[in-house]
Amino acid sequence: MNNLPFSSIGPYSDSFTSTTVLSRMIEGIGFRFYWATEGLRQIDLDYKPCEDGRSSYENIEHISMLTDAISDAFEGRIYDFSNQKSGFEDYRKNTLNNLDAIFKALKENSDLSKVSVRLNMNGEEVVTPFWNLINGPFSDIIYHTGQVVAFRRISGNPINPGVNVFLGQVMS
């Protein structure tokens, strides 16, 4: 899948604001997810550590849905937990494109107090402030991306050894 965002991270901002810090966090999440999911094989996608645990594929599906919820919050939409996508490539593309759209939205709207999470929970609208995105979906994406990295290592397909998450680049 060529032309997907976050194969590397661009230069950092010279200023420290809530939006520049969050933007960099999104770049880091996108970079980690990009390389965690690059070159996965079916055996990697199917791997799960125990019978009642999630497989890598199920984690990727979940991450995609989390980015849908974040994207909906930034667009002012109610997230309804429906899943219109299917297949690993669709989930991967959706996740990276959602993160890219959120990254770009931050450049246009720096007032995070206007971003709220609106969820349709069994027909009832639940509204929470932006803060819940940090301890909820953003943190959950990092958590589950780490699981994908660990699971693919266990299934014999570790990430590219040149990936340097500290620098946000792939080293030769």
Side-chain angles (χ1 to χ4, degrees), residues 92-105:
R92 183 171 190 252
K93 180 179 178 181
N94 181 68
T95 298
L96 292 167
N97 286 333
N98 275 344
L99 290 170
D100 192 45
I102 296 160
F103 177 76
K104 289 174 180 167

Side-chain angles (χ1 to χ4, degrees), residues 1 4 6 16 20 22 31 52 66-67 74-75 80-81 104 120 142 155 159 168 172:
M1 301 218 42
L4 289 175
F6 302 111
F16 287 87
T20 61
L22 181 59
F31 182 76
D52 62 345
L66 290 167
T67 65
F74 273 85
E75 293 293 325
D80 67 3
F81 296 92
K104 289 174 180 167
N120 179 348
I142 296 167
S155 63
I159 66 169
S172 314

Side-chain angles (χ1 to χ4, degrees), residues 115-126:
V115 177
S116 62
V117 183
R118 297 170 58 209
L119 307 171
N120 179 348
M121 304 284 282
N122 300 318
E124 183 179 331
E125 184 177 351
V126 175

Side-chain angles (χ1 to χ4, degrees), residues 7 24 29 36 47 67 71-72 75-76 84 99 115-116 120 126 162 166:
S7 63
R24 191 58 167 201
I29 289 170
Y47 181 82
T67 65
S71 180
D72 283 355
E75 293 293 325
Q84 304 299 321
L99 290 170
V115 177
S116 62
N120 179 348
V126 175
F166 183 70

Side-chain angles (χ1 to χ4, degrees), residues 20-114:
T20 61
V21 170
L22 181 59
S23 293
R24 191 58 167 201
M25 184 178 141
I26 291 168
E27 284 183 297
I29 289 170
F31 182 76
R32 286 173 184 270
F33 181 82
Y34 181 99
W35 289 104
T37 57
E38 176 69 15
L40 287 177
R41 310 165 301 182
Q42 192 61 49
I43 193 171
D44 306 318
L45 293 168
D46 293 341
Y47 181 82
K48 62 181 176 178
C50 59
E51 190 58 37
D52 62 345
R54 280 189 182 140
S55 68
S56 289
Y57 177 83
E58 291 166 326
N59 275 319
I60 292 164
E61 176 184 37
H62 181 61
I63 291 167
S64 178
M65 293 174 74
L66 290 167
T67 65
D68 286 343
I70 298 167
S71 180
D72 283 355
F74 273 85
E75 293 293 325
R77 293 186 304 255
I78 298 173
Y79 181 68
D80 67 3
F81 296 92
S82 66
N83 181 6
Q84 304 299 321
K85 291 156 285 308
S86 63
F88 164 67
E89 293 296 342
D90 285 344
Y91 289 129
R92 183 171 190 252
K93 180 179 178 181
N94 181 68
T95 298
L96 292 167
N97 286 333
N98 275 344
L99 290 170
D100 192 45
I102 296 160
F103 177 76
K104 289 174 180 167
L106 283 168
K107 292 180 181 183
E108 297 171 16
N109 179 11
S110 62
D111 188 355
L112 298 176
S113 70
K114 297 197 183 314

